[in-house]
Amino acid sequence: MPTPSADRVTVQQAATDEEIVATRAVMRQLRPDVPADEYLGTVRRMMQSDGYRLAAVYDGGEVRAVAGYRVMEMLYCGRILYVDDLNTDAAARSQGYGKVLLDWLKAEARAQGCRQLHLDSGVQREQTHRFYFREGLAINCYHFRIPLAPAEG
């Protein structure tokens, strides 16, 4: 597998409106239900209320991979970095960008005093799971959910 060249590949947090919008096309490959015209507002709201952060891998000025994450503390595992979203541009997969970003997320977790990095991944994403296993992640629990109707007012 080719690896991205260190002299042209960078990882940086997306904080300005322009930087957040630059991640939209790659993120929407993973999260197509977020309307393009609502992406910036949704991300901004999550950043302000939930501590959501975005990081992106840039190669030659183009976003190749993106991750949404937050730092949190849980009773059962302590302080963690939780990855909400992690995606490599479909046209740039298997070129090392995902590894660059996951390595950056691990380093960010350590820098933030986290004891672990956590993420959930849909059961249908078999290729993605192979990547996670190669990178040392392990399945340690099931994630359960139930849709809830809005509360009657």
Side-chain angles (χ1 to χ4, degrees):
M1 154 176 45
T3 57
S5 172
D7 62 335
R8 67 175 199 274
V9 173
T10 61
V11 180
Q12 68 180 57
Q13 289 191 0
T16 68
D17 287 357
E18 181 178 86
E19 292 165 345
I20 293 168
V21 169
T23 68
R24 180 175 55 199
V26 176
M27 183 66 81
R28 288 193 69 245
Q29 292 174 20
L30 178 67
R31 306 287 183 225
D33 291 339
V34 178
D37 62 339
E38 294 178 20
Y39 181 74
L40 175 61
T42 300
V43 169
R44 277 273 174 234
R45 189 172 51 256
M46 292 169 57
M47 286 177 157
Q48 291 169 357
S49 65
D50 296 330
Y52 185 82
R53 302 173 195 175
L54 276 175
V57 175
Y58 291 85
D59 189 347
E62 297 293 320
V63 174
R64 300 297 185 203
V66 64
Y69 67 97
R70 59 189 91 221
V71 173
M72 62 178 65
E73 192 164 4
M74 302 175 88
L75 285 175
Y76 85 94
C77 60
R79 188 170 173 86
I80 66 166
L81 186 144
Y82 180 81
V83 180
D84 293 58
D85 318 289
L86 178 60
N87 192 50
T88 299
D89 185 353
R93 292 207 177 119
S94 298
Q95 296 179 34
Y97 298 111
K99 178 173 177 34
V100 167
L101 188 50
L102 191 56
D103 287 348
W104 185 92
L105 288 163
K106 291 174 187 175
E108 175 71 0
R110 289 182 193 101
Q112 295 292 325
C114 297
R115 296 171 49 191
Q116 300 174 3
L117 180 144
H118 287 220
L119 61 81
D120 290 331
S121 182
V123 295
Q124 77 282 4
R125 302 186 72 213
E126 293 178 15
Q127 250 187 311
T128 303
H129 301 159
R130 284 193 287 277
F131 166 69
Y132 293 150
F133 290 139
R134 274 195 317 268
E135 294 304 312
L137 282 79
I139 297 171
N140 74 322
C141 66
Y142 290 103
H143 178 98
F144 294 93
R145 70 178 182 178
I146 186 170
L148 302 172
E152 302 267 335

